[in-house]
């Protein structure tokens, strides 16, 4: 992998400051009225090495071509068409026909950029993975633009960046600056958690959100698909899970076809889909379909009709888990599945006589975290036996469960610095989500708060820091559904996206503000209801809000 | 006006508790999984007198008729068609063709309700006004439903209520309970402020919002149309105001036709449009078009290039105001215009030598509030001379400006109880907005906070209380535009709507919760992106989210 040294980064930073001077010149828009003026044609997240110059070229939608000059495949062909539309026909690219071009490309003065050649060096991989290579190089020169990538994933990232470099001048001319870029992500796991259990989120919105993720170079859709409140996943083997556990078994479910469509849509955009089936807590909605799975809670020596976590004492529990885990690994192509393991309450287990008896038999005394370990160990073994990897919430290791060395631990609680130190000291890989719970809202712009956190801000050796493979923004669903998910997430989640992709040195919110302002308008222009990033202002193209 | 006594209200409350028992019976939906279970067919805001019974009737979309049996007019005919569609063809009623009926009415057991007769007693008024009569009576009986209203406005409110009484059972059957209602608003001014200056809000979204207002019996759209940041109102006499003051003179403006369309859309729904042209502060965007209007600010004896409030010392200021005020009164049919008058900073006036000279000439000493009074007095006289009324923010009277007795004072600052006492002691009418700044957001449901405030909660005599003519929810636009206005407003603004319409005694948020839960789902079913009102849950019909 081509690595950029610190000296080069300093040079780039200096160049950026210089180029900022010309690119912020405003051409007749009333940007002085905006609380933050937009940049023009500046990418988000910012590349590792980014050298724009003041020389500009024009693009003509009638003649501009995106050509594959190396290897090619369906994924690339689809992406080239998609990005042609994103550049010239804004609005949801799937609905390209609904949107007329905002402005016909008019050739004003300036050299025309005739093409973008996409030079893909290796055969396409089918699915993205934790190890995917997202490196690319992009040169925009007078004779044409050249995008070079080793893998299809790098080509997708480079196409996204190219599309962001193009902007429209006031007369509608599509314009791009002569630019050199070399780019790759700082972290390989850049995830976004969506909770579809507290509220159901229509498939259409999840697909829109995958577009937004691609526009921000996120590469993991962490699908918190089921929880206590509802079970919208329509299982092949246990259809009763959603028949009895979904809010509505007909309208509030993800069919196998829906899931396949979402995975395919994500795959086309280089986004992994990691489903989370959170157990043994957070599983109330599983209960009605699988009698005996949940622990009956007792009061005064009698079952009180309520249920607690999954019953870890029964063999039938693990027989069921073997089948459902095998289904998950077949349905979801990613090597990883998220097994949850957070917030297990012991109260119900304590009340249940059969559980008490089991505790005695196993010699656990009154240490119920040993019982939790017993359960997690069993389910982790089931997953491991399928040669699959897993992600778990931090409690699993906090409670001393022995995990495989390739386990990924997701840190979500406050005081994450100590936890990150601890987990990496154990030699385990980790992803951070604590500072990025975007479901918590407050008045005014909060993206700077998300922007300045860094997953490496903890005490640890270089070896420990290398075990941090990324992070995740989380949108828990207590107050979010299809009505407000997109506007509430974007561009707030963009702040996390740049943190996880770009060099650590980019941590100046004043420098980032004009670019995130432009980026939110870019998303709006592409048909996404991304809400205002900063204070008062406007986007040139916002009339298609739907 | 038919007034309901306290005893009757007590009886109604008791009946409500009784009927709650049967109407909350859930029929197979997993409402136990919702943090708050929905009511079924309960109106929001709740009527003054509301007596539902357990007897139900079915409605057949093929045969059900809404008939005018008294006076009629275009407004009524349009409303009857609109509400037929709202009941049977959910989704935006303008786009009725885009939405298929969610469920074909199936005749299950039960008596069919054949019709709703609308007995309008008086000729239609063209425009709604502060004095409009919104009283109606509604009986749903086995032989048919009868809506009686004296005025068209009451008929509109009654149609809204009738449409809310209809709900669908799980098999899709449209159902209504045998019900008696007598209803009228507690306050005659029930407003919603939308700020279209900090961000431009597309006309399409403003129209959607007028639908939402009608669904909540709001009757005043307080259009904070211009401010410092931008001037989107396209003036007949001074087109330069938006040419130079709008964010974009082509795309971010309201043309005369747009304004007329918005007023007409509102009129059809019994909603007054009161524009606010806020002066002498909050007027920076007026400056570029009207040279000499704003006060040039000085630093070290020289103009520093910045501008302050409108210059109150020049005759040309008032010559300009006479023309623009006359235009407003022609364009906006309502008797009232909002003249602002809030947050006038004196710093710039103090720095300006010509202003200092004027202060001396007038004998104001260094009391700049006297200068503010001078300005406000002049503009109020201009408006008064046109026989029009005005609303102003509280500072105008706080600063001692003499106002006409029919002035309406809008209280917006904290500690509103003392201010309401003061203003009403002066014999002035007042509307309250302090507790209802919905632009301030926080995590979790905040509608209960808005719900429990009451405009009568201040120390004063009965005569003083009568001077409170209503209140307004405000959505200031710093962080809100077309992308998030609807979802952020609704159903939070519904809490204020019920406070301003329904009897004061309805102040129990636990009682209101199932109804607001149903009401948010009702709005969603009608095609509005109303966000979740409470915690986890779902709406039966939410798939059309667009």
């Amino acid at each position: 992998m081509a690595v950029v040294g610190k000296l080069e980064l300093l040079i780039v930073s200096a160049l950026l400051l210089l180029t900022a001077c010309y690119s912020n010149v405003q051409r007749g828009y009333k940007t002085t009225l905006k609380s933050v003026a937009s940049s023009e044609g500046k990418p988000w997240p910012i590349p590792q090495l980014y050298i724009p110059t003041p020389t500009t070229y024009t693009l003509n939608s009638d003649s501009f071509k995106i050509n594959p000059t190396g290897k090619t495949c369906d994924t690339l062909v689809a992406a080239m068409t998609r990005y042609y539309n994103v550049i010239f026909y804004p609005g949801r690219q799937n609905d390209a026909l609904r949107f007329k071009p905002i402005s016909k490309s008019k050739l004003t003065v300036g050299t025309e950029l005739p093409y973008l050649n996409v030079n893909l060096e290796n055969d396409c991989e089918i699915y993205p993975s934790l190890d995917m290579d997202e490196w690319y190089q992009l040169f925009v020169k007078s004779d044409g633009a050249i995008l070079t990538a080793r893998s299809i994933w790098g080509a997708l990232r480079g196409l996204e960046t190219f599309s962001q470099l193009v902007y429209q001048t006031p007369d509608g001319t599509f314009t791009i600056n002569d630019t050199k870029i070399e780019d790759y992500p700082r972290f390989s796991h850049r995830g976004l958690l969506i909770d579809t259990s507290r509220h159901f989120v229509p498939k259409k919105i999840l697909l829109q959100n995958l577009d937004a993720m691609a526009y921000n170079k996120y590469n993991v859709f962490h699908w918190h698909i089921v929880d206590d409140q509802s079970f919208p996943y329509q299982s092949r083997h246990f259809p009763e899970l959603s028949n009895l556990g979904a809010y509505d078994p007909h309208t509030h479910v993800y069919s196998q076809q829906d899931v396949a469509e979402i995975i395919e849509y994500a795959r086309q955009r280089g986004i992994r889909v990691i489903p989370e089936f959170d157990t043994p807590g957070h599983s109330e909605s599983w209960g009605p379909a699988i009698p005996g799975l949940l622990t009956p809670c007792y009061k005064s020596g009698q079952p009180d009709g309520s249920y607690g976590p999954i019953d870890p004492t029964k063999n039938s529990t693990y027989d069921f888990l073997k089948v459902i885990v095998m289904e998950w690994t077949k349905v979801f192509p990613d090597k990883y599945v998220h097994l949850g393991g957070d917030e297990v309450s012991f109260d119900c287990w304590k009340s249940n006589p059969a559980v008490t008896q089991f505790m005695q038999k196993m010699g656990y005394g009154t240490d119920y975290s040993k019982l939790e370990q017993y359960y997690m160990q069993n389910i982790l073994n089931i997953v491991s036996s399928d040669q699959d990897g897993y992600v778990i919430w931090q409690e699993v290791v906090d409670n001393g469960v022995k995990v495989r060395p390739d386990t990924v631990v997701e840190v979500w609680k406050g005081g994450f610095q100590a936890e990150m130190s601890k987990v990496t000291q154990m030699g385990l890989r980790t992803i951070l989500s604590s500072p990025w719970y975007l479901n918590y809202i407050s008045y005014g712009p909060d993206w700077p708060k998300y922007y300045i956190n860094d997953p490496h801000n903890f005490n640890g050796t270089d070896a420990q820091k290398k075990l941090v493979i990324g992070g995740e923004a989380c949108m828990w669903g207590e107050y979010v559904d299809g009505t407000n998910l997109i506007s509430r997430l974007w561009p707030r989640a963009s702040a996390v996206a740049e943190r996880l992709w770009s060099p650590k040195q980019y941590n100046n919110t004043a420098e980032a503000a004009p670019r995130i302002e432009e980026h939110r308008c870019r998303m709006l222009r592409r048909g996404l209801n991304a809400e205002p990033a900063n204070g008062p202002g406007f986007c040139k193209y916002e009339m298609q809000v739907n």
Side-chain angles (χ1 to χ4, degrees), chain A:
Chain A
M1 186 176 284
V3 175
V4 182
K6 281 189 182 172
L7 180 62
E8 281 168 283
L9 273 172
L10 282 174
I11 297 169
V12 176
S13 302
L15 278 167
L16 263 181
L17 285 174
L18 283 173
T19 56
C21 299
Y22 78 84
S23 66
N24 278 334
V25 170
Q26 298 307 330
R27 303 167 183 153
Y29 296 155
K30 294 191 182 53
T31 40
T32 53
L33 301 174
K34 299 182 71 163
S35 59
V36 169
S38 284
S39 57
E40 277 186 318
K42 295 231 180 263
W44 187 283
I46 202 152
Q48 299 285 340
L49 183 73
Y50 169 49
I51 310 178
T53 79
T55 307
T56 59
Y57 312 116
T58 61
L59 287 80
N60 180 339
S61 62
D62 293 335
S63 56
F64 184 78
K65 291 277 180 289
I66 306 181
N67 311 307
T69 57
K71 307 266 190 177
T72 188
C73 61
D74 285 358
T75 310
L76 184 60
V77 170
M80 291 188 305
T81 306
R82 203 162 65 232
Y83 279 106
Y84 176 88
N85 287 333
V86 158
I87 292 167
F88 297 111
Y89 299 81
R92 297 254 301 132
Q93 64 272 37
N94 307 22
D95 304 340
L97 294 177
R98 282 179 52 203
F99 295 99
K100 292 179 188 169
I102 273 172
S103 167
K104 181 95 181 128
S105 168
K106 300 170 195 164
L107 289 180
T108 54
V109 286
T111 314
E112 187 180 324
L113 188 79
Y115 60 80
L116 167 66
N117 283 348
V118 182
N119 179 29
L120 172 57
E121 295 177 347
N122 296 327
D123 288 335
C124 291
E125 292 165 8
I126 305 297
Y127 285 104
S129 71
L130 179 57
D131 304 319
M132 68 176 134
D133 179 358
E134 296 172 282
W135 174 91
Y136 68 92
Q137 216 171 31
L138 177 62
F139 296 119
V140 182
K141 299 180 296 187
S142 59
D143 48 347
I146 298 170
L147 168 63
T148 306
R150 292 187 292 258
S151 90
I152 177 67
W153 318 120
L156 294 177
R157 303 300 172 245
L159 283 166
E160 175 59 40
T161 301
F162 179 82
S163 76
Q164 296 189 5
L165 297 183
V166 181
Y167 57 98
Q168 280 180 280
T169 54
D171 69 359
T173 305
F174 293 102
T175 307
I176 192 166
N177 285 67
D178 186 289
T179 304
K180 286 189 180 64
I181 285 174
E182 179 165 357
D183 202 13
Y184 52 87
R186 179 173 167 222
F187 293 108
S188 51
H189 182 118
R190 304 179 307 282
L192 181 57
L193 177 150
I194 304 286
D195 168 5
T196 58
S197 171
R198 271 65 176 240
H199 282 95
F200 182 77
V201 179
K203 182 181 69 179
K204 177 180 166 183
I205 302 292
L206 292 180
L207 297 180
Q208 271 195 21
N209 196 56
L210 287 167
D211 282 332
M213 288 174 69
Y215 300 156
N216 288 274
K217 297 191 171 74
Y218 271 102
N219 69 352
V220 178
F221 169 28
H222 175 172
W223 193 353
H224 189 87
I225 190 167
V226 298
D227 205 296
D228 284 333
Q229 284 79 3
S230 75
F231 198 104
Y233 170 76
Q234 228 173 35
S235 164
R236 291 178 187 172
H237 289 91
F238 302 100
E240 292 304 301
L241 280 165
S242 59
N243 283 344
L244 300 175
Y247 281 132
D248 184 294
H250 306 296
T251 54
H252 290 57
V253 288
Y254 304 106
S255 68
Q256 287 292 320
Q257 196 185 321
D258 291 335
V259 170
E261 192 180 331
I262 286 164
I263 291 168
E264 171 60 14
Y265 201 90
R267 184 192 74 76
Q268 294 262 358
R269 286 151 184 80
I271 297 170
R272 304 160 61 201
V273 179
I274 297 185
E276 177 179 353
F277 292 92
D278 194 356
T279 64
H282 290 279
S283 53
E284 196 182 326
S285 66
W286 306 45
I290 315 292
L293 181 67
L294 301 184
T295 310
C297 311
Y298 279 64
K299 210 169 186 175
S300 316
Q302 294 294 324
D304 68 1
S306 73
Y307 292 88
I310 284 179
D311 188 337
T313 70
K314 289 187 184 160
N315 288 333
S316 59
T317 291
Y318 303 104
D319 292 341
F320 162 73
L321 287 173
K322 271 175 203 157
V323 181
I324 192 83
V325 163
M326 194 185 302
E327 173 174 331
W328 298 336
T329 58
K330 277 194 186 150
V331 169
F332 294 93
D334 203 83
K335 184 177 175 302
Y336 287 82
V337 64
H338 201 302
L339 293 174
D342 59 319
E343 299 183 310
V344 182
S345 159
F346 297 150
D347 293 344
C348 184
W349 281 349
K350 283 180 184 166
S351 78
N352 182 296
V355 174
T356 308
Q357 208 175 353
F358 185 82
M359 292 283 289
Q360 286 163 356
K361 186 182 117 194
M362 299 295 284
Y364 291 162
T366 55
D367 185 355
Y368 284 82
S369 74
K370 290 218 169 89
L371 184 61
E372 184 188 354
Q373 286 177 45
Y374 172 82
Y375 172 83
M376 289 308 299
Q377 207 71 67
N378 272 296
I379 189 167
L380 296 185
N381 287 342
I382 289 169
V383 174
S384 301
S385 69
D386 272 341
Q387 299 282 327
D388 265 319
Y390 45 80
V391 188
I392 38 88
W393 296 107
Q394 68 177 75
E395 285 98 321
V396 178
V397 292
D398 289 353
N399 291 344
V401 177
K402 203 164 40 167
V403 294
R404 275 203 331 209
D406 66 346
T407 303
V408 175
V409 180
E410 180 156 15
V411 174
W412 70 277
K413 293 190 173 187
F416 69 84
Q417 292 85 351
E419 183 76 10
M420 299 286 280
S421 288
K422 187 182 90 176
V423 170
T424 53
Q425 228 157 16
M426 295 165 72
L428 295 172
R429 289 173 305 163
T430 181
I431 51 179
L432 177 64
S433 61
S434 308
W436 297 317
Y437 270 38
L438 304 190
N439 48 305
Y440 293 118
I441 54 169
S442 56
Y443 188 62
D446 54 4
W447 67 263
K449 184 176 76 179
Y450 302 124
Y451 191 73
I452 58 176
N453 274 288
D454 195 285
H456 277 171
N457 282 354
F458 66 89
N459 289 328
T461 63
D462 281 358
Q464 279 178 273
K465 299 290 167 83
K466 278 193 186 135
L467 289 167
V468 180
I469 60 169
E472 293 193 341
C474 299
M475 182 52 80
W476 296 99
E478 279 83 353
Y479 306 107
V480 171
D481 65 6
T483 62
N484 58 358
L485 184 132
I486 296 287
S487 63
R488 194 166 279 196
L489 256 180
W490 307 102
R492 296 163 71 231
S494 302
V496 184
E498 178 151 305
R499 176 57 46 238
L500 294 174
W501 178 281
S502 305
K504 187 176 182 180
Q505 289 83 343
Y506 287 94
N507 58 3
N508 181 332
T509 54
E511 183 280 325
R515 285 190 298 106
I516 206 170
E517 182 76 15
E518 179 183 12
H519 193 52
R520 107 94 173 170
C521 288
R522 184 182 284 137
M523 288 190 276
L524 198 49
R525 180 175 179 271
R526 295 178 181 189
L528 293 167
N529 278 341
E531 69 179 19
N534 299 296
F538 69 105
C539 295
K540 177 70 183 162
Y541 303 110
E542 60 186 312
M543 308 308 291
Q544 311 138 348
V545 172
N546 66 356

